[in-house]
Amino acid sequence: MTNALPIIAPRKDGRASDELRAVTIERGWSEQAEGSALISFGRTKVLCTASFTNGVPRWMSGKGKGWVTAEYAMLPRSTNDRMDRESVKGRIGGRTHEISRLIGRSLRAVVDMKSLGENTIVIDCDVLQADGGTRTAAITGAYVALADALEWGRSKRFIGQNAKPLIDSVAAVSVGIVGGVPMLDLAYTEDVRADTDMNVVVTGRGLFVEVQGTAEAAPFDRRELDALLDLAVGGTSTLTELQLASLRG
Amino acid sequence: MTNALPIIAPRKDGRASDELRAVTIERGWSEQAEGSALISFGRTKVLCTASFTNGVPRWMSGKGKGWVTAEYAMLPRSTNDRMDRESVKGRIGGRTHEISRLIGRSLRAVVDMKSLGENTIVIDCDVLQADGGTRTAAITGAYVALADALEWGRSKRFIGQNAKPLIDSVAAVSVGIVGGVPMLDLAYTEDVRADTDMNVVVTGRGLFVEVQGTAEAAPFDRRELDALLDLAVGGTSTLTELQLASLRG
Amino acid sequence: MTNALPIIAPRKDGRASDELRAVTIERGWSEQAEGSALISFGRTKVLCTASFTNGVPRWMSGKGKGWVTAEYAMLPRSTNDRMDRESVKGRIGGRTHEISRLIGRSLRAVVDMKSLGENTIVIDCDVLQADGGTRTAAITGAYVALADALEWGRSKRFIGQNAKPLIDSVAAVSVGIVGGVPMLDLAYTEDVRADTDMNVVVTGRGLFVEVQGTAEAAPFDRRELDALLDLAVGGTSTLTELQLASLRG
Amino acid sequence: MTNALPIIAPRKDGRASDELRAVTIERGWSEQAEGSALISFGRTKVLCTASFTNGVPRWMSGKGKGWVTAEYAMLPRSTNDRMDRESVKGRIGGRTHEISRLIGRSLRAVVDMKSLGENTIVIDCDVLQADGGTRTAAITGAYVALADALEWGRSKRFIGQNAKPLIDSVAAVSVGIVGGVPMLDLAYTEDVRADTDMNVVVTGRGLFVEVQGTAEAAPFDRRELDALLDLAVGGTSTLTELQLASLRG
Amino acid sequence: MTNALPIIAPRKDGRASDELRAVTIERGWSEQAEGSALISFGRTKVLCTASFTNGVPRWMSGKGKGWVTAEYAMLPRSTNDRMDRESVKGRIGGRTHEISRLIGRSLRAVVDMKSLGENTIVIDCDVLQADGGTRTAAITGAYVALADALEWGRSKRFIGQNAKPLIDSVAAVSVGIVGGVPMLDLAYTEDVRADTDMNVVVTGRGLFVEVQGTAEAAPFDRRELDALLDLAVGGTSTLTELQLASLRG
Amino acid sequence: MTNALPIIAPRKDGRASDELRAVTIERGWSEQAEGSALISFGRTKVLCTASFTNGVPRWMSGKGKGWVTAEYAMLPRSTNDRMDRESVKGRIGGRTHEISRLIGRSLRAVVDMKSLGENTIVIDCDVLQADGGTRTAAITGAYVALADALEWGRSKRFIGQNAKPLIDSVAAVSVGIVGGVPMLDLAYTEDVRADTDMNVVVTGRGLFVEVQGTAEAAPFDRRELDALLDLAVGGTSTLTELQLASLRG
């Protein structure tokens, strides 16, 4: 931590302001998908599955490139109060669209579509239980599922033996200013109290893929922004290690 | 088994024709819902949550009666091939509607709406992994979630201390004729080969709530129908014991 | 009638408990469709049309097999109180889906898709007036429309001269327990009072295609189930005769 | 006929150019609706039902006025080629909207909403068989259903005994220029060949409610327009007599 | 003016009853579209753009003919009270459909589809500000956009150098009877007071393409109809001149 | 400019890398809306209207607070290739949702909802012509429309005379790294070539409301991020001046 803002504690769950919640990754949770991971950030649980299809949508075919996309959704009672299903409402809400697009962009940032070849991978991230940080857990778990699906594709010879479609790893974490204090990996009760909320997606090499900061209650200055970015880089570095450990495991 | 049809074996997974798959019930899986159960019938896994709301929809209010309803859905990659999300398609398919309605009717058959009082319980059954029998697993798990939600309502005094809203328990199982042999609790590979497929919902006291038999490949005669009903009554009797054990646990 | 349950009468319309309502079949009602029938079960009137198309949907082509499907709908003022149109609501309700699927499965059970060849038949069943039993009247009338459409296909040489796509006939009837008495072919006022309601689809040879029993108010035991099945077999046997008479006429 | 355009014949069905097809009105066809008529213009058959509800939509209440509206639809196989259902497509097409609105406006033109009082009448016009002129048949039949529903409302004392909500009658007919000849009441095969097509709605007193002329193939001049209006006034005059005869009958 | 009805004035904005509002046409408003015009009828402003595509929809291809279609919409705050967006409501209203179809038919009436060849032109008419007469302003402006798009197509050699796809020009105006007086080009406050409202589409040669008269408050007689048609022919004649001037400009 | 990255030029339109396009604001463009502005960033043109309604949605009433929300849309031919209308597709796309939400959050960040009182303001931002930066132009123009609508509310005494609902101003600009060079206010052709694209929303006082950076082609490091933020702060500072000048004008 390089900034000069106060880092007082303790948080409700006893964490330091720069501490992640307990993170677990159950790799290969699904017996059907080509890659999968059930990831937990504390009480937040997201099931990520990767579906590998040989071939690409018609509008992409013949270019020798692949495609990776993602869909995010929440179970109706993943939250404290039950939400109506989007299938019942007949339309997908703006937040869902936004997060699905964010996950897809984040994953594509670390895939070389030429090396993938004309193959399609769809990542589904379904939130089974929500306690803040569902989108960042989704991205972090989705990477593990993606990596396994790519291995599956290689084993089936849909991807060349020398091709290296993964050019980096990717993980994400939320940060925010709560009660004047920059904090890492907000739980739901922290998130609703945050003045500023930021989701940061960082590659294994430490480069930024997405920075999405929003002043929920009060605009923020450059010093606060810097402090949040520092926290995020630290958090995603830890998540990268956990991803690699899981993939080695 | 009281009928005279051939009961040759073995099934692909080694079960006898009148044997259930391994059934597990993780009661209280969700930390948010008033009642919940993650139920497995072999590889089929369904997360059932019960959401208790004090009050009823406007069109029911003032009658002193409650309401119980259910919604069923499958995760897109719960199946061998990924299915499009119904939220993305913008409409719920016929099969989903049909099963949601079946689960709701089955649960209402064992609830005394007067004793429930003006409270609403919504049961969500989300299939995390599908290998045949998802609707019957859903009903069986939903009963456990429902029972806990009712206890929660009693503990919060939304339900009277002497009220007995549960008048019976309810469980369900699929049966079918596969290769000429009546079989209990079909796995997916058996289901697709079945000449006749039947879902039977039975109360703890052994009364029928639903009998839904369909000749998929060949119409069936009365003797076959009787054999299937016998198998179903046996299977649901075992499921009833597992439900009670889980609720005691 | 082989069961020992009480068969007291009279019903509101004077029928015996095992008696059908007056059934009429106006074959060839439509001047446009390849097959059609306006069928009445008492005051229930359903217009069934069969549309024959040479060819099958793309996903089925090249397999040498045909396809039969059905769509059910009610006119908005077919009922006592006007219902909103599903086209206006922008979505088809669960009940409509369920019945459309039931009709389609029932018809396919008596068609040999290989003999039909690569032809598609769509059966539309539109309820002009509803007084209970609309789905069973629809199935019974749809068979007549289907048979005529198959003849039309043969006359146009889309179906081979020696092909026999119809392997049996099919009819359906509702049965239920009303006031403790098992009854055949429930009118609307009986249906709403029924403890148990069952729709049974039976072929001309007396085999079951569908058995859909639902405990509306009280679960039912095996003896009651048997009584209902007996009634249904008797009723569909009479309907089969009426279908054949109509097709000869 | 007062215009000087050529009136050569014969038409395919032998009619003179200023001759209606055979028109029949089966008043009271529905046993459920407060008013109904099954009207035929030749092979075109439209079932019109009028649903009377005491009360008006919330946005109209308290003004002492009623409301009359209409919905038009075609059965999928009312036409030569089967059309997809609008309920299945999930949206109502432009043509359906347009005709529903036309029927509603036409009926409201002859109803005094103050005399109707706070009552709502919904007219459903469902085309059972289509051979041109479905919208004009619908308007003509709808008037009969409307008149009966108003009588029903009076008999139930929802409408005052001295109130005269019907200030005129209304009927409609299509006219067009086919092969250079102005013709009355076009059948489908004439309609598709018409250079100009016009639907005219006229009250019993001979006043215009709607004039909707469209140059399908060639713009028309003032003399042609006048000839078409003359034909339409003659045709609707005959339809008015048939309506009155039906209502007396 | 050839009729004998009273032509008293003045109108609220000082116009004579047979006088158009100030009409301006900003041709080429859009830097992106192949043809465009921002047209004003007084305070009514409609942006018309024409999009030229080489090729036709699949169902039309191979016939050597083109297609012209139109879409009309209003910005949510083009009106005095904000309207919900149709995209948000998820469905297009009947009025929008009706006007889109009217514009499309009006334009197609002056295009020779054979000369257009297999090209498609989509005209978008978006109402930026509404004060009555939006559909007639749209048609009048759309013609200018269409003419420029056709020139563009010729310059790109998608249309043959000698082909004359435009066989006439087309313009439209509203007329109505307000306070007993036939009036030309109704502003919004006149439109809501009109007994009868008529939209008339006329070619540059003075032939009728569409005549759509509706009795909003009182049916109209033949003499009134004639007076309205006279006004409309006069108004569209002036609009034709303005179109030609704009296209020469 | 405080960063050390190369700032080579020239850009296609001759701008320096830290130079805005020509910005114009036509305040009060709409004669209907309570506040409006037609804003241009070069060829990008967005019509922003603010609709003021006394009262709030039911779920907010009684809290003494107001609400500000926004909707963004593009005309179908605002772009180089025509896009289908979202109203025709029947659903709003993810990008549209995302931008509407962004605009709403940005405006709410500078409004004190208590001072606004129970009033609702809906801002519509309709893109008439698009050439990059439509969302940032929309936010910048929306602020002007909002300010005028608040004045209107004050003049009508819906807002107290001493209330100060506007606590700051807000403007937005896009920045990006194109060909390795950080650039301000990207035009469309620059945007598609950008490695990284960032939209930054800044208040008049220089505080951040939103920072949304996305690595389109290559992840970015901290130094690049800093350079982009510097450019954005400079650009929004200029936009703030233009907004104030427009509101004074």
Side-chain angles (χ1 to χ4, degrees), chain F residues 150-170:
Chain F
L150 289 169
E151 272 316 299
W152 183 91
R154 188 194 307 282
S155 74
K156 296 292 179 192
R157 307 207 171 244
F158 295 131
I159 296 177
Q161 295 309 301
N162 299 319
K164 300 206 167 170
L166 271 185
I167 55 187
D168 203 341
S169 70
V170 67

mmCIF file of all heavy atoms in Angstrom, chain F residues 150-170:
data_model
loop_
_atom_site.group_PDB
_atom_site.id
_atom_site.type_symbol
_atom_site.label_atom_id
_atom_site.label_comp_id
_atom_site.label_asym_id
_atom_site.label_seq_id
_atom_site.Cartn_x
_atom_site.Cartn_y
_atom_site.Cartn_z
ATOM 1 N N LEU F 150 -34.506 22.161 -14.128
ATOM 2 C CA LEU F 150 -34.562 22.514 -12.702
ATOM 3 C C LEU F 150 -35.016 23.964 -12.530
ATOM 4 O O LEU F 150 -35.819 24.267 -11.648
ATOM 5 C CB LEU F 150 -33.188 22.286 -12.050
ATOM 6 C CG LEU F 150 -32.804 20.815 -11.895
ATOM 7 C CD1 LEU F 150 -31.335 20.673 -11.500
ATOM 8 C CD2 LEU F 150 -33.687 20.119 -10.848
ATOM 9 N N GLU F 151 -34.523 24.840 -13.400
ATOM 10 C CA GLU F 151 -34.980 26.231 -13.333
ATOM 11 C C GLU F 151 -36.481 26.322 -13.598
ATOM 12 O O GLU F 151 -37.208 27.065 -12.956
ATOM 13 C CB GLU F 151 -34.223 27.109 -14.350
ATOM 14 C CG GLU F 151 -32.940 27.693 -13.823
ATOM 15 C CD GLU F 151 -33.114 28.236 -12.404
ATOM 16 O OE1 GLU F 151 -33.925 29.152 -12.187
ATOM 17 O OE2 GLU F 151 -32.424 27.717 -11.496
ATOM 18 N N TRP F 152 -36.933 25.540 -14.588
ATOM 19 C CA TRP F 152 -38.368 25.517 -14.895
ATOM 20 C C TRP F 152 -39.155 25.074 -13.662
ATOM 21 O O TRP F 152 -40.182 25.664 -13.320
ATOM 22 C CB TRP F 152 -38.607 24.549 -16.060
ATOM 23 C CG TRP F 152 -40.024 24.487 -16.526
ATOM 24 C CD1 TRP F 152 -40.617 25.240 -17.498
ATOM 25 C CD2 TRP F 152 -41.055 23.625 -16.023
ATOM 26 N NE1 TRP F 152 -41.941 24.896 -17.632
ATOM 27 C CE2 TRP F 152 -42.238 23.917 -16.738
ATOM 28 C CE3 TRP F 152 -41.095 22.638 -15.030
ATOM 29 C CZ2 TRP F 152 -43.447 23.248 -16.492
ATOM 30 C CZ3 TRP F 152 -42.280 21.982 -14.780
ATOM 31 C CH2 TRP F 152 -43.446 22.281 -15.511
ATOM 32 N N GLY F 153 -38.649 24.021 -12.994
ATOM 33 C CA GLY F 153 -39.327 23.526 -11.790
ATOM 34 C C GLY F 153 -39.369 24.578 -10.694
ATOM 35 O O GLY F 153 -40.352 24.689 -9.952
ATOM 36 N N ARG F 154 -38.310 25.342 -10.626
ATOM 37 C CA ARG F 154 -38.294 26.396 -9.617
ATOM 38 C C ARG F 154 -39.319 27.490 -9.989
ATOM 39 O O ARG F 154 -40.069 27.960 -9.133
ATOM 40 C CB ARG F 154 -36.890 27.007 -9.528
ATOM 41 C CG ARG F 154 -36.718 27.973 -8.368
ATOM 42 C CD ARG F 154 -35.431 28.803 -8.511
ATOM 43 N NE ARG F 154 -34.244 27.979 -8.704
ATOM 44 C CZ ARG F 154 -33.603 27.319 -7.723
ATOM 45 N NH1 ARG F 154 -34.044 27.415 -6.483
ATOM 46 N NH2 ARG F 154 -32.534 26.613 -7.996
ATOM 47 N N SER F 155 -39.337 27.824 -11.300
ATOM 48 C CA SER F 155 -40.243 28.901 -11.745
ATOM 49 C C SER F 155 -41.708 28.507 -11.526
ATOM 50 O O SER F 155 -42.564 29.351 -11.335
ATOM 51 C CB SER F 155 -39.985 29.227 -13.218
ATOM 52 O OG SER F 155 -40.521 28.191 -14.033
ATOM 53 N N LYS F 156 -41.981 27.192 -11.571
ATOM 54 C CA LYS F 156 -43.347 26.705 -11.361
ATOM 55 C C LYS F 156 -43.599 26.394 -9.888
ATOM 56 O O LYS F 156 -44.636 25.827 -9.536
ATOM 57 C CB LYS F 156 -43.571 25.419 -12.171
ATOM 58 C CG LYS F 156 -43.486 25.608 -13.671
ATOM 59 C CD LYS F 156 -44.622 26.442 -14.211
ATOM 60 C CE LYS F 156 -44.496 26.621 -15.708
ATOM 61 N NZ LYS F 156 -45.411 27.639 -16.243
ATOM 62 N N ARG F 157 -42.597 26.681 -9.047
ATOM 63 C CA ARG F 157 -42.690 26.475 -7.592
ATOM 64 C C ARG F 157 -42.826 24.997 -7.193
ATOM 65 O O ARG F 157 -43.318 24.682 -6.117
ATOM 66 C CB ARG F 157 -43.851 27.291 -6.998
ATOM 67 C CG ARG F 157 -43.753 28.764 -7.395
ATOM 68 C CD ARG F 157 -44.393 29.693 -6.405
ATOM 69 N NE ARG F 157 -44.052 31.084 -6.764
ATOM 70 C CZ ARG F 157 -43.331 31.882 -5.987
ATOM 71 N NH1 ARG F 157 -42.891 31.469 -4.830
ATOM 72 N NH2 ARG F 157 -43.061 33.114 -6.365
ATOM 73 N N PHE F 158 -42.407 24.074 -8.081
ATOM 74 C CA PHE F 158 -42.325 22.665 -7.675
ATOM 75 C C PHE F 158 -41.067 22.456 -6.844
ATOM 76 O O PHE F 158 -40.937 21.487 -6.109
ATOM 77 C CB PHE F 158 -42.299 21.737 -8.893
ATOM 78 C CG PHE F 158 -43.562 21.771 -9.704
ATOM 79 C CD1 PHE F 158 -43.535 21.920 -11.087
ATOM 80 C CD2 PHE F 158 -44.808 21.644 -9.081
ATOM 81 C CE1 PHE F 158 -44.693 21.936 -11.830
ATOM 82 C CE2 PHE F 158 -45.986 21.667 -9.829
ATOM 83 C CZ PHE F 158 -45.926 21.824 -11.204
ATOM 84 N N ILE F 159 -40.113 23.351 -7.024
ATOM 85 C CA ILE F 159 -38.864 23.311 -6.255
ATOM 86 C C ILE F 159 -38.823 24.610 -5.445
ATOM 87 O O ILE F 159 -39.177 25.671 -5.963
ATOM 88 C CB ILE F 159 -37.644 23.249 -7.199
ATOM 89 C CG1 ILE F 159 -37.670 21.941 -7.997
ATOM 90 C CG2 ILE F 159 -36.346 23.391 -6.430
ATOM 91 C CD1 ILE F 159 -36.545 21.807 -9.001
ATOM 92 N N GLY F 160 -38.419 24.482 -4.209
ATOM 93 C CA GLY F 160 -38.405 25.656 -3.324
ATOM 94 C C GLY F 160 -37.473 26.742 -3.843
ATOM 95 O O GLY F 160 -36.463 26.461 -4.511
ATOM 96 N N GLN F 161 -37.774 27.985 -3.526
ATOM 97 C CA GLN F 161 -37.004 29.112 -4.040
ATOM 98 C C GLN F 161 -35.572 29.101 -3.511
ATOM 99 O O GLN F 161 -34.645 29.557 -4.175
ATOM 100 C CB GLN F 161 -37.693 30.454 -3.682
ATOM 101 C CG GLN F 161 -39.049 30.614 -4.374
ATOM 102 C CD GLN F 161 -38.995 30.364 -5.885
ATOM 103 O OE1 GLN F 161 -38.270 31.045 -6.610
ATOM 104 N NE2 GLN F 161 -39.729 29.355 -6.358
ATOM 105 N N ASN F 162 -35.365 28.565 -2.313
ATOM 106 C CA ASN F 162 -34.015 28.556 -1.750
ATOM 107 C C ASN F 162 -33.292 27.223 -1.939
ATOM 108 O O ASN F 162 -32.132 27.083 -1.579
ATOM 109 C CB ASN F 162 -34.074 28.889 -0.260
ATOM 110 C CG ASN F 162 -34.669 30.275 -0.056
ATOM 111 O OD1 ASN F 162 -34.362 31.196 -0.807
ATOM 112 N ND2 ASN F 162 -35.551 30.396 0.928
ATOM 113 N N ALA F 163 -34.011 26.277 -2.500
ATOM 114 C CA ALA F 163 -33.396 24.957 -2.686
ATOM 115 C C ALA F 163 -32.306 25.043 -3.751
ATOM 116 O O ALA F 163 -32.431 25.793 -4.726
ATOM 117 C CB ALA F 163 -34.462 23.955 -3.109
ATOM 118 N N LYS F 164 -31.235 24.300 -3.549
ATOM 119 C CA LYS F 164 -30.159 24.262 -4.542
ATOM 120 C C LYS F 164 -29.919 22.820 -4.970
ATOM 121 O O LYS F 164 -28.939 22.187 -4.538
ATOM 122 C CB LYS F 164 -28.871 24.853 -3.954
ATOM 123 C CG LYS F 164 -29.052 26.296 -3.511
ATOM 124 C CD LYS F 164 -27.749 27.062 -3.535
ATOM 125 C CE LYS F 164 -28.045 28.534 -3.406
ATOM 126 N NZ LYS F 164 -26.850 29.358 -3.188
ATOM 127 N N PRO F 165 -30.786 22.293 -5.817
ATOM 128 C CA PRO F 165 -30.635 20.872 -6.171
ATOM 129 C C PRO F 165 -29.341 20.570 -6.917
ATOM 130 O O PRO F 165 -28.825 19.452 -6.820
ATOM 131 C CB PRO F 165 -31.854 20.576 -7.034
ATOM 132 C CG PRO F 165 -32.425 21.900 -7.425
ATOM 133 C CD PRO F 165 -32.002 22.881 -6.383
ATOM 134 N N LEU F 166 -28.790 21.514 -7.628
ATOM 135 C CA LEU F 166 -27.544 21.252 -8.369
ATOM 136 C C LEU F 166 -26.351 21.531 -7.475
ATOM 137 O O LEU F 166 -26.093 22.694 -7.114
ATOM 138 C CB LEU F 166 -27.451 22.150 -9.601
ATOM 139 C CG LEU F 166 -28.065 21.620 -10.892
ATOM 140 C CD1 LEU F 166 -27.775 22.573 -12.031
ATOM 141 C CD2 LEU F 166 -27.540 20.220 -11.231
ATOM 142 N N ILE F 167 -25.595 20.511 -7.117
ATOM 143 C CA ILE F 167 -24.466 20.728 -6.220
ATOM 144 C C ILE F 167 -23.151 20.872 -6.975
ATOM 145 O O ILE F 167 -22.141 21.246 -6.405
ATOM 146 C CB ILE F 167 -24.367 19.596 -5.177
ATOM 147 C CG1 ILE F 167 -24.305 18.242 -5.856
ATOM 148 C CG2 ILE F 167 -25.562 19.661 -4.236
ATOM 149 C CD1 ILE F 167 -24.369 17.064 -4.906
ATOM 150 N N ASP F 168 -23.181 20.609 -8.260
ATOM 151 C CA ASP F 168 -21.976 20.749 -9.080
ATOM 152 C C ASP F 168 -22.434 20.611 -10.537
ATOM 153 O O ASP F 168 -23.612 20.331 -10.776
ATOM 154 C CB ASP F 168 -20.975 19.623 -8.720
ATOM 155 C CG ASP F 168 -19.522 19.978 -9.083
ATOM 156 O OD1 ASP F 168 -19.320 20.889 -9.914
ATOM 157 O OD2 ASP F 168 -18.606 19.326 -8.543
ATOM 158 N N SER F 169 -21.558 20.854 -11.478
ATOM 159 C CA SER F 169 -21.895 20.537 -12.865
ATOM 160 C C SER F 169 -21.183 19.241 -13.225
ATOM 161 O O SER F 169 -20.359 18.734 -12.458
ATOM 162 C CB SER F 169 -21.458 21.670 -13.804
ATOM 163 O OG SER F 169 -20.052 21.726 -13.893
ATOM 164 N N VAL F 170 -21.489 18.685 -14.409
ATOM 165 C CA VAL F 170 -20.853 17.431 -14.808
ATOM 166 C C VAL F 170 -20.688 17.397 -16.328
ATOM 167 O O VAL F 170 -21.556 17.858 -17.069
ATOM 168 C CB VAL F 170 -21.658 16.207 -14.286
ATOM 169 C CG1 VAL F 170 -23.010 16.111 -14.966
ATOM 170 C CG2 VAL F 170 -20.864 14.933 -14.431
#
